[in-house]
Structures are given as C-alpha cells and as structure tokens.
Amino acid sequence: MNTITAAITAVGAYVPDFVLSNKVLETMVDTNDEWITTRTGIKERRILKDADKGTSFLAIKAAQDLIAKANIDPLEIDMIIMATATADMPVASTGVYVATEIGATNAFAYDLQAACSSFLYGMSTAAAYVQSGRYKKVLLIGADKMSSIVDYTDRATCIIFGDGAGAVLFEPNYEGLGLQDEYLRSDGVGRDFLKIPAGGSLIPTTEETVKNRQHNIIQDGKTVFKYAVTNMADASELILKRNNLTNEDVNWLVPHQANKRIIDATASRMNLEESKVLMNIERYGNTTSATLPLVLSDFEHQFKKGDNIIFAAFGGGFTWGSIYLKWAYDKK
C-alpha cells in the first residue's frame, strides 16, 4: 500500500507530584467530596506548585518521556505542535521554547489553542502534515497549567481543573493504520460561557481587571454541560455511522476528561460497554489539552495493533469533534 496515513508511534506523559484531593478542597471552599465525586467523577488532581515553572515545564517533561521511551533522536523531529490554553506568555510561542529545550533544533514549532479541544484539533493538524509527505516525525504535545488561571475561591471551577501534559509522535504508515477520519466543529455562541475575560486585546490588563479577578477562568456550568453532552455524543455517533462502524467494531473510546457524566452520555449514545470507555478523570481532573494524551499514556499497554479508537472532545469557544484512529503498534 503506497498511500500514506499518519499513525501514532509513541506516547509520553508527565503529571506534577502534588496531589490536590477533594478533602483538601473542602478546607479551601464550600464543597465536599461526595458533591464533587457525584457531579464530576473527580477525586483528585495534580498541581504544579513551583511558581517559577509554567506549561513549558510540563510539556518538556512529557516530550522527554516520549523521546526516552521511543529511543528517538530529537534532531530527527521535523515539527512540534504545542496544544495549550495556558501558554507561558501571550506572545513568545511556548512550543518554540519547548522544541529548543528538548534538543529538537531541526524542528519548527508553534502553539495551537482550541481550549479543551486543542489536542484533538492538533491530531488533525499533525496527521495532515505527515500525510502531505513533507514531514516524517511530528511531535504533538498537549499541556496545561490550569492552576495558573483557576480562582481557588470559585468552587464552580476550582474543583474541576488540574495540571499535566502528554505527547504523541505521528509518523507515516503504509499499512492503512493511524488517523482514518475526523469530524471537527466550532460555534462562536460559546464565547461568553467559558472564558478568561481580560488580558487580551479586547480587555487589556489593568489594575482593575486584576482586582476583579478577570484573569481567571469562568464558566456557565449548566450551559457548557448541555452543549458538551449533546455535541460530543453527536460527533462520536456521526463518526461511527460515516465509517460504517458498530459498537462491536470500536475497541476503545478515548474521551476528553471534563466530567464523568459527559463521558457516560457519549458512551451511551455509542452503545459502548463500560470496559471500552477509558477514564482517568478521578485522578487528574480536567487537564484541558492534556486529557487525551494522558489517557493514551495510562492505557497504552492495553492497545493492540489495529484497534479501532474513537477520540472525542469538547472545549470553550465552543470547539468540539471526534476522530477515528487505528492503533499502529503493540507495546513491548
């Protein structure tokens, strides 16, 4: 087979050591473990406590983990896509810095921001570069230091988010494995329901914006939940129908880890048995751009060459979609 497809050939990950449990959150805001667990499925999340370390630190660690496990030379990496909603700085690209720090000095790099769908969109972008035939090794990193934008006096958001990073390597495949199909969508109606109001060109930083906590993430939980349940489930169902796949054909669902109830609704629409639905939300919470690769890292040992995997995500903006990928290797 001469047709080039883009396959994931390696996975890496990193989460900080500090564990922020529901019990600890009970001492910080008016909430409790039962309430959080029932509504989100989250028990704990990891936090990067070092004030002098940003998202780039997480990304570098995840990339180094992949490079070490796959035993590849960083100089062979052609490009790096940095999927993140919490770049180190507003202007200087985080991905460019990460590339230099991991020794990928032959690669060009840039950041991609689509909120919680950043990694999913990045998969599409990375695969397209590989399928073009121009690039052989594309490193896609999803990383977010969500603790840097969370208001820990806001019980509606501080219970949800955590910090972490994951990375995958896309390479050419000639066996028909790798990315098969995608359904990606967006709708600007979501702009007001999940956002950081200030710090951009619309509302530049002032003393007032800082005082009013306008640089922290805010969301209308009920509205976001409603859109997420509908759109993640719709996209996943559509990708199955478009590829003539039944629930029996799907080996694994890799969903964005935002809320267990959203994941359950998506799996239910696909009529998938629970054992096929991969989750680690109870340990990490919502790490935004890092959720999908962290799931891949945690469950990589279960994947078999040729497995049909469905990815699904939903993020602020709104952004959402689903990707159908055939796994390309058995873990040694």
Side-chain angles (χ1 to χ4, degrees):
M1 184 178 288
N2 295 320
T3 304
I4 300 174
T5 52
I8 292 174
T9 59
V11 178
Y14 175 79
V15 291
D17 293 331
F18 182 83
V19 176
L20 178 59
S21 67
N22 290 348
K23 289 295 184 183
V24 174
L25 278 173
E26 288 179 3
T27 68
M28 298 167 61
V29 289
D30 183 16
T31 191
N32 61 73
D33 174 62
E34 182 186 8
W35 192 93
I36 297 171
T37 304
T38 302
R39 284 161 180 77
T40 68
I42 302 168
K43 282 288 188 182
E44 56 189 38
R45 62 291 291 145
R46 300 299 184 94
I47 303 296
L48 181 59
K49 298 287 283 184
D50 309 59
D52 62 339
K53 292 183 173 66
T55 293
S56 61
F57 174 81
L58 302 168
I60 290 165
K61 288 288 191 180
Q64 289 173 335
D65 181 53
L66 182 149
I67 288 167
K69 290 196 298 187
N71 192 28
I72 64 168
D73 184 348
L75 295 174
E76 294 178 358
I77 298 171
D78 298 310
M79 68 173 295
I80 293 174
I81 301 171
M82 180 75 219
T84 185
T86 56
D88 282 4
M89 303 176 188
V91 175
S93 169
T94 302
V96 171
Y97 176 70
V98 170
T100 299
E101 289 299 296
I102 65 173
T105 51
N106 290 324
F108 74 98
Y110 61 84
D111 296 355
L112 186 157
Q113 208 279 66
C116 290
S117 300
S118 296
F119 191 86
L120 190 78
Y121 280 24
M123 289 176 67
S124 170
T125 308
Y129 276 113
V130 170
Q131 288 166 352
S132 75
R134 293 183 180 180
Y135 305 99
K136 303 293 187 186
K137 285 182 167 58
V138 178
L139 181 63
L140 171 61
I141 307 170
D144 272 304
K145 184 182 178 182
M146 294 303 293
S147 61
S148 68
I149 58 172
V150 166
D151 177 0
Y152 283 95
T153 66
D154 176 14
R155 67 175 183 174
T157 56
C158 73
I159 65 169
I160 298 169
F161 297 102
D163 302 338
V168 300
L169 185 68
F170 275 93
E171 294 187 274
N173 184 277
Y174 301 93
E175 300 177 272
L177 303 172
L179 198 146
Q180 305 294 306
D181 194 14
E182 61 183 49
Y183 177 78
L184 305 177
R185 289 293 182 269
S186 61
D187 188 344
V189 71
R191 181 177 167 102
D192 290 329
F193 300 118
L194 179 54
K195 63 183 178 180
I196 297 175
S201 60
L202 187 63
I203 306 176
T205 304
T206 65
E207 188 176 337
E208 284 298 307
T209 64
V210 174
K211 186 188 300 180
N212 295 332
R213 298 180 183 271
Q214 289 176 272
H215 297 271
N216 295 120
I217 191 168
I218 59 172
Q219 74 167 346
D220 178 339
K222 289 183 179 179
T223 302
V224 173
F225 180 86
K226 180 182 72 174
Y227 274 93
V229 166
T230 301
N231 288 314
M232 261 182 69
D234 284 352
S236 302
E237 185 179 38
L238 185 144
I239 210 84
L240 293 187
K241 289 181 177 177
R242 200 158 74 178
N243 291 277
N244 297 313
L245 296 172
T246 69
N247 60 322
E248 294 296 324
D249 298 318
V250 176
N251 296 102
W252 310 104
L253 172 65
V254 176
H256 171 51
Q257 309 287 301
N259 185 301
K260 187 177 184 298
R261 290 186 293 164
I262 297 173
I263 296 171
D264 289 342
T266 302
S268 177
R269 181 77 69 84
M270 297 169 69
N271 197 26
L272 285 184
E273 55 191 75
E274 191 176 340
S275 62
K276 293 183 176 183
V277 183
L278 304 183
M279 281 189 279
N280 56 15
I281 189 172
E282 72 281 356
R283 291 188 290 128
Y284 304 136
N286 182 354
T287 55
T288 305
S289 307
T291 64
L292 298 182
L294 281 175
V295 170
L296 290 181
S297 177
D298 280 357
F299 294 94
E300 182 188 15
H301 62 284
Q302 295 185 26
F303 302 154
K304 302 298 181 187
K305 184 176 180 180
D307 277 0
N308 290 320
I309 303 178
I310 303 297
F311 294 80
F314 181 89
F318 291 127
T319 60
W320 71 93
S322 182
I323 282 177
Y324 165 34
L325 177 138
K326 280 186 173 290
W327 197 248
Y329 63 95
D330 297 318
K331 183 164 174 57
K332 297 175 183 177

Tab-separated table of all heavy atoms in Angstrom, residues 217-270:
chain	number	residue	atom	x	y	z
A	217	ILE	N	-10.311	31.827	34.866
A	217	ILE	CA	-11.314	31.187	34.029
A	217	ILE	C	-12.677	31.206	34.723
A	217	ILE	O	-12.785	30.972	35.929
A	217	ILE	CB	-10.897	29.735	33.681
A	217	ILE	CG1	-11.796	29.165	32.585
A	217	ILE	CG2	-10.861	28.842	34.906
A	217	ILE	CD1	-11.274	27.864	31.996
A	218	ILE	N	-13.707	31.528	33.947
A	218	ILE	CA	-15.073	31.486	34.453
A	218	ILE	C	-15.927	30.699	33.476
A	218	ILE	O	-15.640	30.667	32.274
A	218	ILE	CB	-15.680	32.902	34.654
A	218	ILE	CG1	-15.695	33.666	33.335
A	218	ILE	CG2	-14.938	33.663	35.727
A	218	ILE	CD1	-16.443	34.976	33.398
A	219	GLN	N	-16.943	30.045	33.982
A	219	GLN	CA	-17.828	29.322	33.078
A	219	GLN	C	-19.251	29.261	33.615
A	219	GLN	O	-19.474	29.268	34.825
A	219	GLN	CB	-17.303	27.910	32.792
A	219	GLN	CG	-17.443	26.906	33.919
A	219	GLN	CD	-17.191	25.476	33.459
A	219	GLN	OE1	-17.165	25.171	32.279
A	219	GLN	NE2	-17.005	24.585	34.405
A	220	ASP	N	-20.186	29.192	32.674
A	220	ASP	CA	-21.579	28.927	32.986
A	220	ASP	C	-21.737	27.416	32.901
A	220	ASP	O	-21.935	26.851	31.823
A	220	ASP	CB	-22.474	29.647	31.974
A	220	ASP	CG	-23.961	29.382	32.186
A	220	ASP	OD1	-24.301	28.363	32.826
A	220	ASP	OD2	-24.776	30.171	31.701
A	221	GLY	N	-21.595	26.763	34.056
A	221	GLY	CA	-21.505	25.304	34.099
A	221	GLY	C	-22.659	24.580	33.432
A	221	GLY	O	-22.449	23.630	32.673
A	222	LYS	N	-23.880	25.021	33.691
A	222	LYS	CA	-25.045	24.326	33.143
A	222	LYS	C	-25.093	24.411	31.618
A	222	LYS	O	-25.398	23.433	30.937
A	222	LYS	CB	-26.329	24.912	33.741
A	222	LYS	CG	-26.540	24.564	35.205
A	222	LYS	CD	-27.864	25.113	35.730
A	222	LYS	CE	-28.068	24.724	37.195
A	222	LYS	NZ	-29.339	25.280	37.735
A	223	THR	N	-24.789	25.589	31.084
A	223	THR	CA	-24.816	25.766	29.633
A	223	THR	C	-23.710	24.956	28.960
A	223	THR	O	-23.941	24.278	27.957
A	223	THR	CB	-24.662	27.257	29.266
A	223	THR	OG1	-25.718	27.993	29.877
A	223	THR	CG2	-24.716	27.455	27.763
A	224	VAL	N	-22.507	25.020	29.514
A	224	VAL	CA	-21.379	24.263	28.960
A	224	VAL	C	-21.674	22.766	29.003
A	224	VAL	O	-21.434	22.052	28.036
A	224	VAL	CB	-20.070	24.585	29.720
A	224	VAL	CG1	-18.943	23.658	29.255
A	224	VAL	CG2	-19.680	26.042	29.514
A	225	PHE	N	-22.220	22.312	30.114
A	225	PHE	CA	-22.546	20.891	30.262
A	225	PHE	C	-23.545	20.456	29.187
A	225	PHE	O	-23.370	19.417	28.542
A	225	PHE	CB	-23.133	20.630	31.653
A	225	PHE	CG	-23.501	19.196	31.913
A	225	PHE	CD1	-22.547	18.290	32.377
A	225	PHE	CD2	-24.793	18.738	31.696
A	225	PHE	CE1	-22.881	16.961	32.605
A	225	PHE	CE2	-25.134	17.416	31.918
A	225	PHE	CZ	-24.177	16.527	32.373
A	226	LYS	N	-24.578	21.254	28.974
A	226	LYS	CA	-25.613	20.920	27.993
A	226	LYS	C	-25.026	20.806	26.587
A	226	LYS	O	-25.276	19.832	25.876
A	226	LYS	CB	-26.712	21.990	28.009
A	226	LYS	CG	-27.852	21.738	27.031
A	226	LYS	CD	-28.879	22.848	27.074
A	226	LYS	CE	-28.333	24.112	26.434
A	226	LYS	NZ	-29.358	25.179	26.321
A	227	TYR	N	-24.237	21.787	26.196
A	227	TYR	CA	-23.629	21.766	24.865
A	227	TYR	C	-22.634	20.617	24.726
A	227	TYR	O	-22.550	19.966	23.683
A	227	TYR	CB	-22.918	23.095	24.589
A	227	TYR	CG	-23.807	24.170	24.026
A	227	TYR	CD1	-24.447	25.089	24.861
A	227	TYR	CD2	-24.000	24.297	22.652
A	227	TYR	CE1	-25.258	26.092	24.343
A	227	TYR	CE2	-24.804	25.298	22.122
A	227	TYR	CZ	-25.429	26.193	22.971
A	227	TYR	OH	-26.233	27.176	22.449
A	228	ALA	N	-21.856	20.373	25.779
A	228	ALA	CA	-20.839	19.319	25.735
A	228	ALA	C	-21.467	17.943	25.574
A	228	ALA	O	-21.019	17.136	24.751
A	228	ALA	CB	-19.981	19.362	26.999
A	229	VAL	N	-22.497	17.657	26.357
A	229	VAL	CA	-23.168	16.359	26.279
A	229	VAL	C	-23.710	16.118	24.874
A	229	VAL	O	-23.493	15.062	24.263
A	229	VAL	CB	-24.310	16.267	27.313
A	229	VAL	CG1	-25.218	15.085	27.006
A	229	VAL	CG2	-23.747	16.121	28.718
A	230	THR	N	-24.408	17.110	24.340
A	230	THR	CA	-25.019	16.967	23.018
A	230	THR	C	-23.983	16.830	21.912
A	230	THR	O	-24.043	15.907	21.095
A	230	THR	CB	-25.927	18.179	22.716
A	230	THR	OG1	-26.938	18.270	23.712
A	230	THR	CG2	-26.570	18.047	21.350
A	231	ASN	N	-23.004	17.735	21.895
A	231	ASN	CA	-22.077	17.781	20.768
A	231	ASN	C	-21.032	16.672	20.768
A	231	ASN	O	-20.683	16.139	19.708
A	231	ASN	CB	-21.394	19.148	20.717
A	231	ASN	CG	-22.350	20.236	20.267
A	231	ASN	OD1	-23.081	20.060	19.300
A	231	ASN	ND2	-22.376	21.350	20.970
A	232	MET	N	-20.513	16.311	21.947
A	232	MET	CA	-19.559	15.197	21.985
A	232	MET	C	-20.228	13.897	21.562
A	232	MET	O	-19.672	13.107	20.805
A	232	MET	CB	-18.959	15.043	23.390
A	232	MET	CG	-17.586	15.665	23.527
A	232	MET	SD	-16.834	15.447	25.168
A	232	MET	CE	-16.509	13.709	25.227
A	233	ALA	N	-21.451	13.686	22.042
A	233	ALA	CA	-22.188	12.472	21.696
A	233	ALA	C	-22.554	12.456	20.215
A	233	ALA	O	-22.401	11.439	19.531
A	233	ALA	CB	-23.446	12.363	22.550
A	234	ASP	N	-23.026	13.597	19.692
A	234	ASP	CA	-23.391	13.688	18.278
A	234	ASP	C	-22.197	13.403	17.370
A	234	ASP	O	-22.307	12.661	16.387
A	234	ASP	CB	-23.942	15.084	17.953
A	234	ASP	CG	-25.360	15.293	18.451
A	234	ASP	OD1	-25.980	14.311	18.908
A	234	ASP	OD2	-25.851	16.441	18.383
A	235	ALA	N	-21.058	14.019	17.691
A	235	ALA	CA	-19.861	13.859	16.861
A	235	ALA	C	-19.379	12.412	16.856
A	235	ALA	O	-18.995	11.872	15.809
A	235	ALA	CB	-18.749	14.782	17.365
A	236	SER	N	-19.397	11.786	18.020
A	236	SER	CA	-18.946	10.395	18.125
A	236	SER	C	-19.872	9.451	17.368
A	236	SER	O	-19.417	8.526	16.683
A	236	SER	CB	-18.865	9.982	19.594
A	236	SER	OG	-17.990	10.835	20.298
A	237	GLU	N	-21.180	9.691	17.477
A	237	GLU	CA	-22.147	8.860	16.766
A	237	GLU	C	-21.999	9.032	15.254
A	237	GLU	O	-22.045	8.062	14.497
A	237	GLU	CB	-23.567	9.229	17.195
A	237	GLU	CG	-24.643	8.326	16.604
A	237	GLU	CD	-26.031	8.703	17.073
A	237	GLU	OE1	-26.321	9.913	17.211
A	237	GLU	OE2	-26.835	7.784	17.310
A	238	LEU	N	-21.781	10.269	14.824
A	238	LEU	CA	-21.636	10.540	13.396
A	238	LEU	C	-20.402	9.857	12.814
A	238	LEU	O	-20.453	9.301	11.707
A	238	LEU	CB	-21.558	12.046	13.156
A	238	LEU	CG	-21.524	12.503	11.696
A	238	LEU	CD1	-22.287	13.801	11.526
A	238	LEU	CD2	-20.091	12.673	11.188
A	239	ILE	N	-19.286	9.891	13.553
A	239	ILE	CA	-18.049	9.286	13.044
A	239	ILE	C	-18.207	7.776	12.883
A	239	ILE	O	-17.644	7.170	11.976
A	239	ILE	CB	-16.838	9.644	13.932
A	239	ILE	CG1	-15.536	9.686	13.104
A	239	ILE	CG2	-16.646	8.690	15.073
A	239	ILE	CD1	-15.295	10.970	12.405
A	240	LEU	N	-19.004	7.160	13.760
A	240	LEU	CA	-19.286	5.730	13.626
A	240	LEU	C	-20.097	5.459	12.371
A	240	LEU	O	-19.747	4.583	11.566
A	240	LEU	CB	-20.044	5.212	14.852
A	240	LEU	CG	-19.334	5.169	16.196
A	240	LEU	CD1	-20.215	4.458	17.221
A	240	LEU	CD2	-17.987	4.474	16.094
A	241	LYS	N	-21.167	6.201	12.197
A	241	LYS	CA	-22.045	5.987	11.043
A	241	LYS	C	-21.317	6.230	9.734
A	241	LYS	O	-21.483	5.482	8.767
A	241	LYS	CB	-23.269	6.907	11.143
A	241	LYS	CG	-24.251	6.508	12.230
A	241	LYS	CD	-25.450	7.440	12.264
A	241	LYS	CE	-26.464	6.993	13.306
A	241	LYS	NZ	-27.619	7.938	13.400
A	242	ARG	N	-20.502	7.284	9.701
A	242	ARG	CA	-19.811	7.643	8.463
A	242	ARG	C	-18.796	6.584	8.044
A	242	ARG	O	-18.459	6.453	6.861
A	242	ARG	CB	-19.126	9.003	8.650
A	242	ARG	CG	-18.795	9.683	7.344
A	242	ARG	CD	-18.644	11.167	7.510
A	242	ARG	NE	-17.402	11.541	8.172
A	242	ARG	CZ	-17.048	12.806	8.392
A	242	ARG	NH1	-17.855	13.784	8.050
A	242	ARG	NH2	-15.909	13.094	8.971
A	243	ASN	N	-18.302	5.820	9.018
A	243	ASN	CA	-17.301	4.795	8.726
A	243	ASN	C	-17.860	3.381	8.842
A	243	ASN	O	-17.094	2.411	8.891
A	243	ASN	CB	-16.098	4.976	9.650
A	243	ASN	CG	-15.309	6.232	9.320
A	243	ASN	OD1	-14.481	6.220	8.422
A	243	ASN	ND2	-15.582	7.322	10.037
A	244	ASN	N	-19.200	3.301	8.882
A	244	ASN	CA	-19.888	2.003	8.951
A	244	ASN	C	-19.387	1.140	10.111
A	244	ASN	O	-19.180	-0.072	9.967
A	244	ASN	CB	-19.732	1.245	7.624
A	244	ASN	CG	-20.370	1.983	6.468
A	244	ASN	OD1	-21.506	2.447	6.576
A	244	ASN	ND2	-19.644	2.104	5.364
A	245	LEU	N	-19.186	1.787	11.247
A	245	LEU	CA	-18.724	1.087	12.445
A	245	LEU	C	-19.892	0.862	13.400
A	245	LEU	O	-20.729	1.745	13.586
A	245	LEU	CB	-17.645	1.897	13.165
A	245	LEU	CG	-16.326	2.154	12.435
A	245	LEU	CD1	-15.471	3.130	13.234
A	245	LEU	CD2	-15.578	0.856	12.191
A	246	THR	N	-19.936	-0.315	13.985
A	246	THR	CA	-20.909	-0.581	15.041
A	246	THR	C	-20.197	-0.489	16.383
A	246	THR	O	-18.959	-0.372	16.447
A	246	THR	CB	-21.523	-1.986	14.900
A	246	THR	OG1	-20.501	-2.963	15.190
A	246	THR	CG2	-22.064	-2.210	13.486
A	247	ASN	N	-20.941	-0.567	17.456
A	247	ASN	CA	-20.328	-0.541	18.782
A	247	ASN	C	-19.383	-1.726	18.979
A	247	ASN	O	-18.413	-1.655	19.734
A	247	ASN	CB	-21.406	-0.529	19.870
A	247	ASN	CG	-22.305	-1.751	19.824
A	247	ASN	OD1	-22.660	-2.241	18.753
A	247	ASN	ND2	-22.699	-2.240	20.984
A	248	GLU	N	-19.654	-2.821	18.274
A	248	GLU	CA	-18.793	-4.003	18.364
A	248	GLU	C	-17.440	-3.766	17.696
A	248	GLU	O	-16.426	-4.353	18.076
A	248	GLU	CB	-19.481	-5.206	17.706
A	248	GLU	CG	-20.744	-5.669	18.418
A	248	GLU	CD	-20.466	-6.176	19.825
A	248	GLU	OE1	-19.399	-6.796	20.033
A	248	GLU	OE2	-21.292	-5.929	20.722
A	249	ASP	N	-17.424	-2.892	16.676
A	249	ASP	CA	-16.182	-2.610	15.945
A	249	ASP	C	-15.234	-1.717	16.727
A	249	ASP	O	-14.033	-1.703	16.482
A	249	ASP	CB	-16.492	-1.938	14.600
A	249	ASP	CG	-17.317	-2.820	13.683
A	249	ASP	OD1	-17.033	-4.031	13.618
A	249	ASP	OD2	-18.245	-2.293	13.030
A	250	VAL	N	-15.791	-0.938	17.659
A	250	VAL	CA	-14.980	0.001	18.437
A	250	VAL	C	-14.301	-0.735	19.587
A	250	VAL	O	-14.955	-1.376	20.401
A	250	VAL	CB	-15.853	1.150	18.992
A	250	VAL	CG1	-15.015	2.073	19.888
A	250	VAL	CG2	-16.483	1.942	17.855
A	251	ASN	N	-12.978	-0.619	19.638
A	251	ASN	CA	-12.238	-1.239	20.738
A	251	ASN	C	-12.163	-0.327	21.956
A	251	ASN	O	-12.269	-0.784	23.097
A	251	ASN	CB	-10.821	-1.600	20.290
A	251	ASN	CG	-10.807	-2.644	19.188
A	251	ASN	OD1	-10.616	-2.317	18.019
A	251	ASN	ND2	-11.020	-3.898	19.548
A	252	TRP	N	-11.987	0.994	21.687
A	252	TRP	CA	-11.813	1.924	22.799
A	252	TRP	C	-12.394	3.296	22.477
A	252	TRP	O	-12.281	3.778	21.353
A	252	TRP	CB	-10.321	2.118	23.131
A	252	TRP	CG	-9.559	0.847	23.291
A	252	TRP	CD1	-8.691	0.278	22.399
A	252	TRP	CD2	-9.587	-0.042	24.427
A	252	TRP	NE1	-8.176	-0.891	22.897
A	252	TRP	CE2	-8.714	-1.114	24.142
A	252	TRP	CE3	-10.260	-0.020	25.652
A	252	TRP	CZ2	-8.501	-2.164	25.038
A	252	TRP	CZ3	-10.049	-1.064	26.540
A	252	TRP	CH2	-9.177	-2.114	26.231
A	253	LEU	N	-12.971	3.921	23.484
A	253	LEU	CA	-13.347	5.330	23.418
A	253	LEU	C	-12.381	6.104	24.299
A	253	LEU	O	-12.234	5.807	25.482
A	253	LEU	CB	-14.784	5.543	23.913
A	253	LEU	CG	-15.228	7.010	24.080
A	253	LEU	CD1	-15.264	7.728	22.739
A	253	LEU	CD2	-16.577	7.096	24.794
A	254	VAL	N	-11.704	7.097	23.696
A	254	VAL	CA	-10.802	7.981	24.438
A	254	VAL	C	-11.464	9.359	24.459
A	254	VAL	O	-11.328	10.151	23.522
A	254	VAL	CB	-9.415	8.055	23.778
A	254	VAL	CG1	-8.523	9.057	24.523
A	254	VAL	CG2	-8.748	6.680	23.771
A	255	PRO	N	-12.211	9.657	25.530
A	255	PRO	CA	-12.932	10.929	25.604
A	255	PRO	C	-12.185	11.978	26.415
A	255	PRO	O	-11.404	11.656	27.309
A	255	PRO	CB	-14.225	10.524	26.319
A	255	PRO	CG	-13.788	9.419	27.257
A	255	PRO	CD	-12.567	8.755	26.643
A	256	HIS	N	-12.456	13.232	26.092
A	256	HIS	CA	-11.947	14.327	26.914
A	256	HIS	C	-12.462	14.152	28.336
A	256	HIS	O	-13.639	13.855	28.561
A	256	HIS	CB	-12.419	15.663	26.339
A	256	HIS	CG	-12.135	16.831	27.209
A	256	HIS	ND1	-10.888	17.080	27.735
A	256	HIS	CD2	-12.946	17.826	27.669
A	256	HIS	CE1	-10.939	18.176	28.473
A	256	HIS	NE2	-12.166	18.645	28.446
A	257	GLN	N	-11.559	14.331	29.311
A	257	GLN	CA	-11.886	14.079	30.717
A	257	GLN	C	-12.336	15.369	31.404
A	257	GLN	O	-11.621	15.961	32.209
A	257	GLN	CB	-10.678	13.490	31.434
A	257	GLN	CG	-10.056	12.291	30.730
A	257	GLN	CD	-10.885	11.026	30.828
A	257	GLN	OE1	-11.165	10.542	31.913
A	257	GLN	NE2	-11.289	10.484	29.680
A	258	ALA	N	-13.550	15.806	31.073
A	258	ALA	CA	-14.082	17.031	31.667
A	258	ALA	C	-15.049	16.725	32.794
A	258	ALA	O	-15.070	17.409	33.815
A	258	ALA	CB	-14.775	17.884	30.611
A	259	ASN	N	-15.859	15.691	32.588
A	259	ASN	CA	-16.914	15.367	33.536
A	259	ASN	C	-17.374	13.939	33.244
A	259	ASN	O	-17.651	13.601	32.086
A	259	ASN	CB	-18.078	16.357	33.368
A	259	ASN	CG	-19.166	16.163	34.399
A	259	ASN	OD1	-19.763	15.090	34.499
A	259	ASN	ND2	-19.448	17.203	35.165
A	260	LYS	N	-17.444	13.113	34.261
A	260	LYS	CA	-17.802	11.710	34.052
A	260	LYS	C	-19.196	11.571	33.449
A	260	LYS	O	-19.453	10.667	32.650
A	260	LYS	CB	-17.726	10.923	35.363
A	260	LYS	CG	-17.934	9.422	35.180
A	260	LYS	CD	-17.781	8.671	36.489
A	260	LYS	CE	-17.907	7.167	36.269
A	260	LYS	NZ	-19.245	6.790	35.751
A	261	ARG	N	-20.098	12.481	33.792
A	261	ARG	CA	-21.457	12.391	33.260
A	261	ARG	C	-21.478	12.660	31.752
A	261	ARG	O	-22.269	12.055	31.019
A	261	ARG	CB	-22.381	13.362	33.992
A	261	ARG	CG	-22.661	12.966	35.452
A	261	ARG	CD	-23.694	13.882	36.071
A	261	ARG	NE	-23.191	15.235	36.214
A	261	ARG	CZ	-23.959	16.307	36.430
A	261	ARG	NH1	-25.278	16.169	36.504
A	261	ARG	NH2	-23.433	17.503	36.569
A	262	ILE	N	-20.602	13.553	31.276
A	262	ILE	CA	-20.492	13.813	29.841
A	262	ILE	C	-19.925	12.587	29.133
A	262	ILE	O	-20.399	12.183	28.062
A	262	ILE	CB	-19.602	15.043	29.570
A	262	ILE	CG1	-20.226	16.295	30.181
A	262	ILE	CG2	-19.388	15.233	28.072
A	262	ILE	CD1	-19.336	17.530	30.118
A	263	ILE	N	-18.917	11.980	29.736
A	263	ILE	CA	-18.311	10.768	29.167
A	263	ILE	C	-19.338	9.639	29.102
A	263	ILE	O	-19.463	8.948	28.085
A	263	ILE	CB	-17.088	10.331	29.998
A	263	ILE	CG1	-15.990	11.400	29.927
A	263	ILE	CG2	-16.553	8.984	29.509
A	263	ILE	CD1	-14.837	11.165	30.886
A	264	ASP	N	-20.084	9.466	30.178
A	264	ASP	CA	-21.107	8.415	30.223
A	264	ASP	C	-22.170	8.625	29.147
A	264	ASP	O	-22.630	7.666	28.511
A	264	ASP	CB	-21.774	8.370	31.600
A	264	ASP	CG	-20.854	7.836	32.683
A	264	ASP	OD1	-19.840	7.199	32.339
A	264	ASP	OD2	-21.149	8.054	33.878
A	265	ALA	N	-22.575	9.883	28.937
A	265	ALA	CA	-23.588	10.187	27.928
A	265	ALA	C	-23.081	9.874	26.520
A	265	ALA	O	-23.822	9.355	25.678
A	265	ALA	CB	-23.999	11.653	28.024
A	266	THR	N	-21.805	10.178	26.273
A	266	THR	CA	-21.204	9.892	24.969
A	266	THR	C	-21.133	8.393	24.732
A	266	THR	O	-21.491	7.894	23.653
A	266	THR	CB	-19.787	10.505	24.886
A	266	THR	OG1	-19.872	11.920	25.105
A	266	THR	CG2	-19.160	10.245	23.524
A	267	ALA	N	-20.688	7.652	25.734
A	267	ALA	CA	-20.596	6.194	25.623
A	267	ALA	C	-21.968	5.566	25.429
A	267	ALA	O	-22.132	4.606	24.661
A	267	ALA	CB	-19.922	5.619	26.866
A	268	SER	N	-22.965	6.115	26.122
A	268	SER	CA	-24.326	5.599	25.998
A	268	SER	C	-24.860	5.784	24.588
A	268	SER	O	-25.496	4.888	24.030
A	268	SER	CB	-25.235	6.316	27.003
A	268	SER	OG	-26.575	5.892	26.861
A	269	ARG	N	-24.604	6.968	23.992
A	269	ARG	CA	-25.051	7.226	22.621
A	269	ARG	C	-24.399	6.249	21.643
A	269	ARG	O	-25.013	5.846	20.662
A	269	ARG	CB	-24.699	8.661	22.237
A	269	ARG	CG	-25.141	9.031	20.824
A	269	ARG	CD	-26.623	9.316	20.730
A	269	ARG	NE	-26.930	10.555	21.434
A	269	ARG	CZ	-26.800	11.769	20.871
A	269	ARG	NH1	-26.385	11.894	19.634
A	269	ARG	NH2	-27.091	12.834	21.576
A	270	MET	N	-23.167	5.874	21.917
A	270	MET	CA	-22.446	4.930	21.056
A	270	MET	C	-22.775	3.482	21.402
A	270	MET	O	-22.294	2.567	20.741
A	270	MET	CB	-20.935	5.172	21.187
A	270	MET	CG	-20.479	6.549	20.720
A	270	MET	SD	-18.757	6.893	21.176
A	270	MET	CE	-17.899	5.716	20.106
